[in-house]
Amino acid sequence: MEYIRGIRQKEALELPEILAEKDFGKEIIVEGTVHSIRDMGDVAFLILRKRDGLLQTVYETGVCRCPLSDIKEAAALRVRGTLQEEARAPHGIELRLADVEILSLPENPLPLAISKWKMNASLEARLNLRPIALRNIKERAKFKIQEGITRGFRDFLYGQGFTEIHTPKIGAKGAEGGSNLFRLSYFHKPAVLAQSPQFYKQMMVGVFDRVFETGPVFRAEKHNTKRHLNEYTSLDLEMGYIEDFTDIMAMETGFLQYTMALLQREYREELRLLQITLPRAEEIPMVRFDTAKRLVSEKYQRRIKNPFDLEPEEEQLIGRYFQEECGADFVFVTHYPSAKRPFYAMDDPADPRYTLSFDLLFHGLEITTGGQRIHRYQELKKKMDARNMEEEGMEQYLDTFRYGMPPHGGLGIGLERLTMQLLGEENVREACLFPRDLGRLEP
Amino acid sequence: MEYIRGIRQKEALELPEILAEKDFGKEIIVEGTVHSIRDMGDVAFLILRKRDGLLQTVYETGVCRCPLSDIKEAAALRVRGTLQEEARAPHGIELRLADVEILSLPENPLPLAISKWKMNASLEARLNLRPIALRNIKERAKFKIQEGITRGFRDFLYGQGFTEIHTPKIGAKGAEGGSNLFRLSYFHKPAVLAQSPQFYKQMMVGVFDRVFETGPVFRAEKHNTKRHLNEYTSLDLEMGYIEDFTDIMAMETGFLQYTMALLQREYREELRLLQITLPRAEEIPMVRFDTAKRLVSEKYQRRIKNPFDLEPEEEQLIGRYFQEECGADFVFVTHYPSAKRPFYAMDDPADPRYTLSFDLLFHGLEITTGGQRIHRYQELKKKMDARNMEEEGMEQYLDTFRYGMPPHGGLGIGLERLTMQLLGEENVREACLFPRDLGRLEP
C-alpha cells in the first residue's frame, strides 16, 4: 500500500528561507520565472520572480550547460547556484548559477513590459491583459494588501466571538427591493443574485449572536463610475445584544486597528513597494449627517441642494474637512435620513426622520454602510406597510422576528473600495483582480 | 468632537469569561435568549442560550421585579444574578437571578421545539423553518464545525505561502464546458455563473505561484440526490512548481491534518455535543482508479460494468475496502480516465488514456477532485482540438499559457460534503445553512 503522509520539504528554497539563513557560499536550488534578462556579454543577469519577490541570478558563459539563448523572459526555471552577498541586488543577495533547467518556455514574447517598475500601459490595456499585467511586482502587491484586509477582518472577528457563515447567492427575492437586481431562471423559477447577505445575516443573529461573511455581491447598477463595480466582495458583519449603534462603529474601528497592525507586521514588503502610509485608526471622529452637511457648506462655501442626500462631492469635502480639522483619515457620518435607508433601518426615536445608522468615509469615499436594525416584528411590519412593501417572498425573514430577535445591527464593507483608498488609487478597478462593470465581462 | 476609539469592554459577560473566572458568589450581568423555561412553582429555571452554549438561571418568586409570566421562550434578556456552583447544570454553574430586563419579546410561540436535544422534525420541516431550526444547540454546532474547516483551510494555506484571491462569479463562459451552467443576461450580454474558479486560479498561478479561494460555485445539475447542491462553497487551491501530482495530494493531506488538530483544539465543545470522532489523516492510502475497481470487484463480487467510470456505489465500496483493509477514513483514487476529466487535465505520459489526477474519498464519498494541469500552450491547444472545442471566449485563458506558465496543479473541495462526512450526516443539505436544490430556492 502506498500512502500520502502530508506536506513534504521542498528541495528548492523560497525567498524567506534564503533570507532567514543568508548562508553565503552555500549551493542552493531555486525555482522561479524569468522576470527579466540583462545580457552584459560575458555575464547575464537573470532576475527570477518568486512569490515573495525578485531574486538576482548571474549566468556566466561556459558554466551552465544550458545556453543563454535558450532562456526566455517568462520561462519557468529550476536553477542551482551559490548564494552571494550583493548590495546592489534585490534583498542584497544574488545566486551564481552552476546549472539551469528549463521547466517550461513561453510560446511568444510578452505583450506588456511587466518587468518595468511602473507599467507604461493604460488601465484599459492592463485590464484587457489582466493575467499577464498582474505579473508586474507592484500590480500583484496590491492584491497581497487586499488579502491582508480580508484576513484581518476574519481573524479579528473570530477573536470577538463571531461565527463565519456562507449564505446563498441565488435567491427568490433581493434584500433591498426590486431594482438593481440581476435576474435569472432557476429551473424555470424566477430568481435573483444576492445584492447583499443582509436578510441572512440578520436571521443568523438569532442563532449565533454574532456572524460575519466575506463573499461576492451583485448589483445591476447602471453606473459607470470610478467607484462602482457590478460584482464586488462584501465584508459583512451583524451582531446582537448591542446597546446602541455606536457598538457597531466601535467594532469596525477595532477591525481597522487590528488590520493596520497586521499589515504593518506581515505585509511590510508590499507596503514598502507601494509606498503606502497606513491611515490612522486610533480614534475616528463621528459627526451627524446634518451637521456634516452644514460644516462643509460653511467652510467651503457650498450651497446645500438637498438636505436629505449626500452628493459624492460632499463626501469628499467631509473627508477633507476632518482631515484638515483633526488630521483624520476616517470619519463616521451618522443619522442618515430615514427616506434614504432601507426599511429595516431603525429610526431614531428622538427624530424619526433620521435613522440610527452610519457610513464610514475613508479619505472622502464611503466604504461602509451600517446601523442598528429594527428587531421588533410589529415595528418592522409597520414600516413595511408605510412603504407599501409586499410581504411576499419575505415571510421567512419576517418570521424570524415573529419568533424573537435581540437588538442588533451590522455593517457591510466594500473590500475593493477599502483597498483602493488604502492604495491611494483613483479607480476601484485597480483594486479588483477581474472587475465586472457595464462594459466588462472578460477576462 | 466625538470619537470612536475601538472595541469596548462589555458589562455583560460571555460564557468563556464566566468559566475562566468561575467567581462563585459574585454578581454578574449576562445577556441571552430564553431557550427554555421550567416552572417548578416557587422557582423556575430559565435556560439562556448564549453563543457559546447554555446557561442555567434560577428565578425565585418575589426576588425579581419582572413577573415570571412576562418572560417567554425566545425572549432576549439582560439579567443580573449571583454565580453559583451547580453540578447538574450545563458547565456546572448557574445564576441566581436578582433582576431581569426584557430586551425583546417574541410575537408568537415557536413553531418548532428547538430546545429539545434532538429535534423531532423532518429535514424538510427543518429546512422550511431554517432560521428557527438552527437555534437548536446541535443544529448550530454543525456550522461551527464547518467554520473550523474553512478556517483551517485558509490558515494552513497562508502558512504555506498561498495568496487568497477573489475571482468573479459572473463570466462570459464556463470553465468546464457548456452544460450545467446557470445563464443570465448581463446588461444585454449573455453571461453564466461560475461553476468553478478553475481558469482564474490557474491564471493566477502565473502571478502568485500558489493561490486559494473559498467561495460559492453554481451548478445547474438536474440531480436531486442526497449528495448534490446547486450552489455550494468550494475550497479551491492551485499551486505552481510541482514535481508531480502527488505534491497536491500531499498539500491536501497537510490541510486535513492541520484542520483536524484545529478542530480538536478549538471546537472541542461542538465535537462533544455532536459526538464526532475525528477521522485519521496521518497517512492516506492512494490507489489507482483501475486497481481500485478491480479490488472491490474481487472482494465484494461486483461485476465491473464500465471500466472508465466510477458509480457512487463503487465509491462507497472503495471507502469500505480501505476502511476494512487498513482502517483508513480517506482514500486517494488516482489516474482517472482521460475521457472523464476536463481538457485541462494532464494525461499520464505512461498511458495517455489516464490522467495525472485524483479524487479524495472520505468514508466512500468524493469530496475532492484535483490533479496536474497541462501547462504548455501547444499541448493544451492539441487537446482542445482533439475534443473539437472552440477557442472563443477562452482567449485570455489560452494566452496565459502562450506567455509562459510553470508546471502546476490544484484541487477543489466541496465544503458541504466534507462537513457532511465529518458529521456523519446522510444528506448534504444538513451541512448547508440555506441549501439550493432543484426544488428549493427559499429561505
Side-chain angles (χ1 to χ4, degrees):
Chain A
M1 192 76 66
E2 275 187 283
Y3 289 95
I4 301 282
R5 294 195 164 82
I7 50 165
R8 300 151 177 173
Q9 186 58 46
K10 278 196 76 158
E11 204 186 359
L13 298 181
E14 292 302 322
L15 263 181
E17 298 169 291
I18 298 169
L19 293 172
E21 298 271 328
K22 283 206 177 167
D23 201 347
F24 298 121
K26 188 182 173 185
E27 194 170 79
I28 61 173
I29 291 173
V30 169
E31 294 160 339
T33 300
V34 180
H35 195 58
S36 67
I37 303 175
R38 263 188 304 145
D39 189 354
M40 320 289 279
D42 281 350
V43 299
F45 295 100
L46 308 179
I47 309 294
L48 293 189
R49 187 175 68 245
K50 298 189 54 60
R51 62 181 188 242
D52 299 294
L54 299 176
L55 174 65
Q56 178 165 304
T57 69
V58 187
Y59 179 101
E60 288 160 291
T61 309
V63 175
C64 304
R65 275 165 305 172
C66 173
L68 183 62
S69 56
D70 283 5
I71 303 171
K72 311 283 183 208
E73 279 186 15
L77 305 184
R78 181 182 167 89
V79 304
R80 192 163 49 79
T82 308
L83 189 67
Q84 296 199 320
E85 201 156 12
E86 172 50 68
R88 291 161 299 179
H91 315 287
I93 58 169
E94 69 176 16
L95 209 60
R96 293 216 154 241
L97 298 176
D99 196 19
V100 173
E101 180 192 349
I102 296 174
L103 298 174
S104 87
L105 279 173
E107 195 69 20
N108 298 92
L110 288 172
L112 281 173
I114 59 145
S115 64
K116 288 228 173 116
W117 190 242
K118 191 169 162 43
M119 271 198 297
N120 187 17
S122 68
L123 173 60
E124 201 59 20
R126 281 181 289 123
L127 291 180
N128 287 339
L129 291 161
R130 198 61 157 167
I132 309 304
L134 289 168
R135 297 181 185 180
N136 174 269
I137 292 294
K138 285 178 78 172
E139 289 291 313
R140 78 173 183 184
K142 297 175 188 174
F143 295 93
K144 289 301 287 186
I145 297 290
Q146 185 163 74
E147 167 189 273
I149 296 171
T150 321
R151 193 173 166 182
F153 184 75
R154 295 196 197 104
D155 285 356
F156 173 69
L157 295 180
Y158 285 136
Q160 295 298 319
F162 283 74
T163 296
E164 179 174 13
I165 57 173
H166 304 280
T167 68
K169 305 309 160 202
I170 303 181
K173 194 163 174 127
E176 325 256 336
S179 65
N180 295 335
L181 289 166
F182 286 111
R183 291 169 195 287
L184 72 156
S185 166
Y186 184 85
F187 302 116
H188 310 295
K189 277 180 283 205
V192 299
L193 293 183
Q195 58 187 336
S196 151
Q198 184 64 35
F199 285 5
Y200 291 104
K201 64 179 181 163
Q202 282 189 262
M203 294 193 285
M204 289 303 97
V205 165
V207 173
F208 298 107
D209 288 7
R210 294 179 162 193
V211 294
F212 76 87
E213 178 164 18
T214 59
V217 296
F218 309 90
R219 307 220 168 166
E221 293 174 338
K222 294 212 178 73
H223 300 304
N224 217 352
T225 77
K226 291 180 176 181
R227 298 171 291 122
H228 286 91
L229 291 170
N230 294 101
E231 175 179 347
Y232 69 89
T233 300
S234 186
L235 310 181
D236 272 279
L237 68 82
E238 199 75 15
M239 54 195 273
Y241 299 98
I242 57 172
E243 286 198 31
D244 62 51
F245 79 111
T246 64
D247 282 349
I248 306 153
M249 289 147 70
M251 193 59 73
E252 178 160 31
T253 305
F255 148 64
L256 289 169
Q257 292 165 348
Y258 180 94
T259 300
M260 296 313 145
L262 177 73
L263 289 173
Q264 192 66 60
R265 199 172 62 240
E266 304 208 14
Y267 295 81
R268 191 180 291 271
E269 179 63 13
E270 287 79 13
L271 294 175
R272 195 189 59 75
L273 266 172
L274 299 167
Q275 296 182 288
I276 293 172
T277 308
L278 291 176
R280 288 181 62 242
E282 292 78 24
E283 48 179 29
I284 300 182
M286 58 189 280
V287 59
R288 282 183 64 99
F289 175 88
D290 44 12
T291 310
K293 277 185 88 84
R294 184 175 49 76
L295 289 174
V296 302
S297 152
E298 287 167 6
K299 180 162 181 181
Y300 305 110
Q301 285 90 47
R302 199 176 179 288
R303 199 172 61 82
I304 293 173
K305 288 178 205 151
N306 181 347
F308 292 109
D309 210 357
L310 269 193
E311 295 166 58
E313 203 191 320
E314 270 178 308
E315 286 186 355
Q316 279 171 26
L317 289 177
I318 295 171
R320 186 174 146 197
Y321 182 96
F322 285 88
Q323 183 75 258
E324 289 172 357
E325 297 292 323
C326 51
D329 294 304
F330 297 100
V331 193
F332 282 114
V333 180
T334 66
H335 298 89
Y336 276 69
S338 187
K340 289 284 163 186
R341 291 297 215 197
F343 72 96
Y344 51 76
M346 188 176 272
D347 293 333
D348 186 357
D351 182 351
R353 290 175 307 162
Y354 297 92
T355 52
L356 300 175
S357 72
F358 66 92
D359 273 11
L360 178 64
L361 308 187
F362 180 12
H363 293 160
L365 179 74
E366 176 240 306
I367 59 160
T368 299
T369 293
Q372 183 161 359
R373 328 296 190 184
I374 299 172
H375 61 276
R376 290 190 183 88
Y377 177 72
Q378 292 298 349
E379 210 174 312
L380 203 56
K381 285 260 297 176
K382 215 171 113 189
K383 202 154 165 195
M384 285 177 69
D385 287 346
R387 295 191 176 200
N388 287 314
M389 288 176 65
E390 286 173 31
E391 287 184 29
E392 199 207 319
M394 313 257 283
E395 296 86 352
Q396 292 272 350
Y397 176 69
L398 284 169
D399 272 0
T400 308
F401 297 89
R402 191 197 289 274
Y403 301 124
M405 277 286 278
H408 66 283
L411 57 79
I413 301 171
L415 174 62
E416 293 81 357
R417 280 197 180 183
L418 172 48
T419 312
M420 162 194 180
Q421 293 303 83
L422 199 65
L423 299 173
E425 290 288 353
E426 291 295 314
N427 194 313
V428 69
R429 290 163 186 78
E430 298 277 6
C432 181
L433 278 181
F434 296 97
R436 292 291 175 259
D437 62 26
L438 270 177
R440 186 173 290 283
L441 192 51
E442 290 181 280
Chain B
M1 192 75 68
E2 277 187 281
Y3 288 95
I4 301 282
R5 294 195 163 83
I7 50 164
R8 301 152 176 172
Q9 185 59 45
K10 279 197 76 162
E11 204 187 357
L13 298 181
E14 293 301 323
L15 264 182
E17 297 169 290
I18 299 170
L19 293 172
E21 298 273 327
K22 283 208 177 166
D23 201 348
F24 297 121
K26 190 182 171 186
E27 195 170 79
I28 60 173
I29 291 174
V30 169
E31 294 160 341
T33 300
V34 179
H35 195 60
S36 66
I37 303 176
R38 263 189 304 146
D39 189 354
M40 320 288 279
D42 282 349
V43 299
F45 295 100
L46 308 179
I47 309 293
L48 294 188
R49 187 176 69 244
K50 298 188 56 59
R51 62 181 189 242
D52 299 295
L54 299 175
L55 174 65
Q56 178 165 306
T57 69
V58 188
Y59 180 101
E60 288 160 291
T61 309
V63 176
C64 305
R65 275 166 306 174
C66 172
L68 183 62
S69 55
D70 282 7
I71 303 170
K72 311 283 181 207
E73 279 186 16
L77 305 184
R78 181 181 167 88
V79 305
R80 191 162 49 79
T82 308
L83 189 66
Q84 296 199 319
E85 201 158 11
E86 172 50 69
R88 290 160 299 177
H91 315 288
I93 59 170
E94 68 177 14
L95 209 60
R96 292 215 156 240
L97 297 177
D99 197 19
V100 174
E101 180 193 348
I102 296 174
L103 299 174
S104 87
L105 280 173
E107 196 69 21
N108 298 93
L110 288 172
L112 281 173
I114 59 145
S115 64
K116 288 228 173 115
W117 190 241
K118 192 166 161 47
M119 271 198 296
N120 187 17
S122 69
L123 173 60
E124 201 60 17
R126 282 181 288 122
L127 292 180
N128 287 339
L129 291 162
R130 197 62 155 165
I132 310 303
L134 288 169
R135 296 180 184 180
N136 174 268
I137 292 294
K138 285 179 77 172
E139 288 292 311
R140 77 173 184 183
K142 296 176 189 173
F143 295 93
K144 290 301 288 187
I145 297 290
Q146 185 163 74
E147 166 189 275
I149 295 171
T150 321
R151 193 173 168 182
F153 185 75
R154 296 197 196 104
D155 285 357
F156 173 70
L157 294 179
Y158 285 137
Q160 296 297 320
F162 282 74
T163 296
E164 179 174 11
I165 57 173
H166 305 279
T167 68
K169 304 310 161 202
I170 304 181
K173 194 164 172 126
E176 324 256 337
S179 65
N180 294 335
L181 289 166
F182 286 111
R183 292 169 193 286
L184 72 157
S185 166
Y186 184 85
F187 302 116
H188 309 296
K189 276 180 283 205
V192 299
L193 293 184
Q195 60 188 336
S196 152
Q198 184 64 34
F199 285 6
Y200 291 103
K201 63 178 182 165
Q202 281 189 264
M203 294 193 284
M204 288 305 96
V205 164
V207 173
F208 299 107
D209 287 8
R210 293 179 163 194
V211 294
F212 76 87
E213 179 165 16
T214 58
V217 296
F218 308 91
R219 308 222 166 163
E221 292 173 339
K222 294 210 178 75
H223 301 304
N224 216 353
T225 78
K226 292 180 174 181
R227 299 170 293 124
H228 285 90
L229 292 169
N230 294 102
E231 175 180 346
Y232 69 88
T233 300
S234 185
L235 309 180
D236 272 278
L237 69 81
E238 199 75 16
M239 53 195 275
Y241 298 100
I242 57 172
E243 286 198 33
D244 62 52
F245 80 111
T246 64
D247 283 349
I248 306 153
M249 289 148 68
M251 193 60 72
E252 178 161 30
T253 306
F255 147 65
L256 289 169
Q257 292 165 349
Y258 180 94
T259 300
M260 296 313 144
L262 176 73
L263 289 173
Q264 192 67 60
R265 199 170 62 240
E266 304 207 14
Y267 295 81
R268 190 180 294 272
E269 180 63 13
E270 287 79 11
L271 294 176
R272 193 189 59 77
L273 267 173
L274 298 167
Q275 296 181 287
I276 294 172
T277 308
L278 292 175
R280 288 182 62 242
E282 293 78 23
E283 48 178 28
I284 300 182
M286 57 191 280
V287 60
R288 282 184 63 101
F289 175 89
D290 45 13
T291 311
K293 278 186 87 83
R294 184 175 48 75
L295 289 174
V296 301
S297 151
E298 288 168 5
K299 180 161 181 181
Y300 305 110
Q301 286 90 47
R302 200 177 178 288
R303 200 172 59 83
I304 294 174
K305 289 179 205 151
N306 180 347
F308 292 108
D309 209 357
L310 268 193
E311 295 166 59
E313 202 191 321
E314 269 178 306
E315 285 187 354
Q316 279 171 26
L317 290 177
I318 295 170
R320 185 174 148 199
Y321 181 95
F322 285 89
Q323 183 75 259
E324 289 172 357
E325 297 293 321
C326 50
D329 294 303
F330 298 100
V331 193
F332 283 114
V333 180
T334 66
H335 298 88
Y336 276 69
S338 188
K340 290 285 163 186
R341 291 297 216 197
F343 71 95
Y344 52 75
M346 189 177 271
D347 292 333
D348 186 357
D351 181 351
R353 290 176 306 161
Y354 296 92
T355 52
L356 300 175
S357 71
F358 65 92
D359 274 10
L360 178 64
L361 309 187
F362 178 13
H363 293 162
L365 179 74
E366 178 241 307
I367 58 159
T368 300
T369 294
Q372 182 160 1
R373 328 296 188 182
I374 299 172
H375 61 276
R376 291 190 182 88
Y377 177 72
Q378 291 299 348
E379 210 173 311
L380 203 55
K381 285 259 295 174
K382 213 171 113 188
K383 201 152 165 197
M384 284 176 69
D385 288 346
R387 293 189 178 201
N388 286 315
M389 289 175 65
E390 286 174 30
E391 286 184 28
E392 200 207 318
M394 312 258 285
E395 296 87 352
Q396 292 271 351
Y397 176 69
L398 284 169
D399 271 1
T400 308
F401 297 90
R402 190 196 289 274
Y403 301 124
M405 277 286 278
H408 66 283
L411 58 81
I413 301 171
L415 173 61
E416 293 81 358
R417 281 198 181 182
L418 171 47
T419 312
M420 163 194 179
Q421 293 303 83
L422 200 63
L423 298 174
E425 291 288 353
E426 290 294 315
N427 194 313
V428 70
R429 289 162 187 78
E430 299 276 6
C432 180
L433 278 181
F434 296 98
R436 292 291 175 258
D437 62 28
L438 269 177
R440 186 173 289 281
L441 193 51
E442 287 182 282

